[in-house]
Amino acid sequence: MPRSSLQSSQYCPPNQFMITSLTRRTFLGAGLATSAALALPRRRAYAAANSQINLGLIGLGGRGNELAEAFRRIDGVTIAGLCDPDDARVAQMHQKFPQARTFSDLRELIDSPDVDAVAIAVCNHWHALAAVWAMQAGKDVYVEKPLANTHWEGQQVVIAADTLGRICQVGTQQRSDPMQAQIKQFLHEEQALGALRRVRVNRYGVRPPIGKRAAPLVPPASVNYDLWLGPAQDEPLYRDELHYDWHWSWNTGAGEMGNWGVH
């Protein structure tokens, strides 16, 4: 079984869903029928003279909070939608942005005509699918790294952006940092170190213990676990925390290689 059911599908034209079937038991069963409107391209409201952009935040954890604070400082941007399958996170963020509509299901936020663009900061296994759905709904996208859990998934996001004429920005800020261009020039153009024969990459930091627990974790009552899983498989969780510990399961994350390694 592939790590993500995205791998078993092919990209569809703009007037269809990218994903025509998912292997996990119930997810999207009736949802594909009731949410078909998501696939219809829409005119971007901010393409007119009005430069106001209504932004929807999908994923309200640590990174989602950081994005909210960053976007609220940009002139012309309004946080118009808040979405997370964890009701507790939605309620907490809504206190900061009481004018925003709230959602548990990202499909409903993506379908909202009140949202022009989305910022995606959900778990890694949702990144590619959420980005493609948003672009098919006529939204521009900022999506956190990693873009996808597999190369194939990433390719589908690129195809969707090119086919639909959408903007899709991936959050690899360390690559766009001016210092990185200076390092590249130092290594490749100035060749100050000579020919590079071997490279070793390390990420230095302290992680709390991530060993497996004896019994499967029961998801918090505030979480709609079916929506949280989305295209991932419904497998027992042997980590102490649902949030963030998903990094350490191949079903939903890719370890530190797919976390800091992307930078």
Side-chain angles (χ1 to χ4, degrees):
M1 181 177 294
R3 207 174 68 206
S4 167
S5 55
L6 279 168
Q7 294 173 309
S8 63
S9 306
Q10 293 183 351
Y11 179 74
C12 295
N15 64 339
Q16 301 178 33
F17 266 95
M18 173 189 177
I19 305 305
T20 56
S21 64
L22 293 174
T23 59
R24 199 171 60 79
R25 50 187 176 79
T26 58
F27 186 72
L28 297 184
L32 284 176
T34 59
S35 302
L38 290 180
L40 299 177
R42 291 186 178 86
R43 179 183 63 84
R44 287 177 291 177
Y46 58 91
N50 185 2
S51 60
Q52 181 69 37
I53 296 176
N54 293 324
L55 182 71
L57 292 175
I58 303 175
L60 306 177
R63 187 63 185 141
N65 272 267
E66 292 174 353
L67 290 178
E69 293 302 318
F71 279 115
R72 80 186 307 177
R73 295 194 296 268
I74 300 176
D75 291 338
V77 175
T78 296
I79 305 299
L82 302 170
C83 180
D84 198 288
D86 188 337
D87 290 340
R89 285 182 164 181
V90 173
Q92 184 178 25
M93 186 72 86
H94 197 224
Q95 294 178 0
K96 299 180 181 179
F97 302 97
Q99 79 285 354
R101 291 184 60 192
T102 60
F103 306 85
S104 295
D105 191 328
L106 60 81
R107 293 168 294 181
E108 295 178 359
L109 180 147
I110 288 171
D111 196 31
S112 172
D114 299 327
V115 173
D116 303 318
V118 300
I120 299 169
V122 286
C123 307
N124 293 1
H125 68 279
W126 259 115
H127 286 186
L129 184 54
V132 169
W133 278 353
M135 287 187 285
Q136 287 180 325
K139 320 293 187 187
D140 287 330
V141 173
Y142 169 89
V143 56
E144 278 296 334
K145 59 81 187 167
L147 175 60
N149 264 354
T150 70
H151 186 212
W152 185 91
E153 291 174 4
Q155 288 177 318
Q156 308 316 302
V157 179
V158 173
I159 291 172
D162 288 344
T163 303
L164 300 169
R166 297 293 101 194
I167 296 171
C168 185
Q169 172 67 46
V170 183
T172 49
Q173 291 88 350
Q174 292 198 29
R175 291 193 181 188
S176 56
D177 189 313
M179 178 185 68
Q180 302 299 329
Q182 295 172 7
I183 293 174
K184 179 180 179 180
Q185 181 179 5
F186 176 80
L187 294 175
H188 293 269
E189 298 176 22
E190 298 177 12
Q191 296 183 336
L193 300 181
L196 298 181
R197 301 182 181 276
R198 184 168 179 260
V199 175
R200 175 173 175 173
V201 179
N202 297 292
R203 189 264 170 179
Y204 291 102
V206 177
R207 286 279 184 216
I210 59 172
K212 289 187 175 182
R213 54 188 287 127
L217 176 71
V218 177
S222 62
V223 175
N224 184 323
Y225 188 55
D226 201 52
L227 289 176
W228 185 90
L229 278 173
Q233 304 304 314
D234 188 0
E235 300 177 351
L237 302 172
Y238 287 97
R239 304 296 183 185
D240 286 336
E241 300 289 341
L242 175 67
H243 298 311
Y244 205 83
D245 275 0
W246 52 261
H247 277 292
W248 322 127
S249 169
W250 288 117
N251 188 36
T252 52
E256 207 67 276
M257 180 63 76
N259 188 30
W260 274 96
V262 174
H263 289 299

